[in-house]
Amino acid sequence: MSDANPVGIVLVSHSAEVAASVAELAKELAGGGTEVPVAAAGGTEGGGLGTSAELIAAAAASVDRGAGVAVLTDLGSAVLTVKALLAEGDELPDGTRLVDAPFVEGAVAAVVTAAAGADLTAVEAAAAEAYSYRKV
């Protein structure tokens, strides 16, 4: 990791358990990823399935170190919620980007790349590149 502050990563899922599990997996596969701030924003405040603008905003604030925040989402309304927060302009830290990437593979690529000291643009590119990972 370079001396610069790392890019923060937020994982938004309709399920708190899915978001937390993907965050744990990505950090472990990044060698522990202890220097990369990763936050899960899954489900609703009441613990149900869904997405919460408040949980997403709090997660983004918690991982913001000034180098930008990459937000990865699972399904439709998670994307719409993040887009709405970005459009409002004051709910998310400056330099927050919604990253178009597969949720699990993209999260791993984002955390690994951030752990290597990459900037937000490189983290976003690595996560998006995960679309090309072939399984057969």
Side-chain angles (χ1 to χ4, degrees):
M1 172 75 59
S2 69
D3 289 336
N5 290 329
V7 170
I9 312 290
V10 175
L11 303 176
V12 181
S13 173
H14 284 67
S15 163
E17 292 82 3
V18 169
S21 294
V22 172
E24 180 182 348
L25 175 67
K27 289 190 286 188
E28 286 298 319
L29 292 176
T34 56
E35 295 184 41
V36 177
V38 179
T44 63
E45 289 90 344
L49 292 177
T51 55
S52 162
E54 291 78 16
L55 291 177
I56 295 166
S62 77
V63 300
D64 181 29
R65 304 291 184 273
V69 176
V71 181
L72 287 85
T73 62
D74 63 357
L75 302 169
S77 68
V79 174
L80 295 175
T81 302
V82 173
K83 283 183 174 181
L85 287 167
L86 288 167
E88 289 174 20
D90 61 351
E91 296 295 316
L92 298 174
D94 289 341
T96 298
R97 290 187 196 166
L98 173 59
V99 176
D100 185 11
F103 193 61
V104 175
E105 295 92 335
V108 171
V111 174
V112 167
T113 304
D119 66 11
L120 181 58
T121 299
V123 168
E124 179 179 27
E129 189 176 305
Y131 273 128
S132 67
Y133 296 173
R134 303 299 305 171
K135 295 181 176 142
V136 292

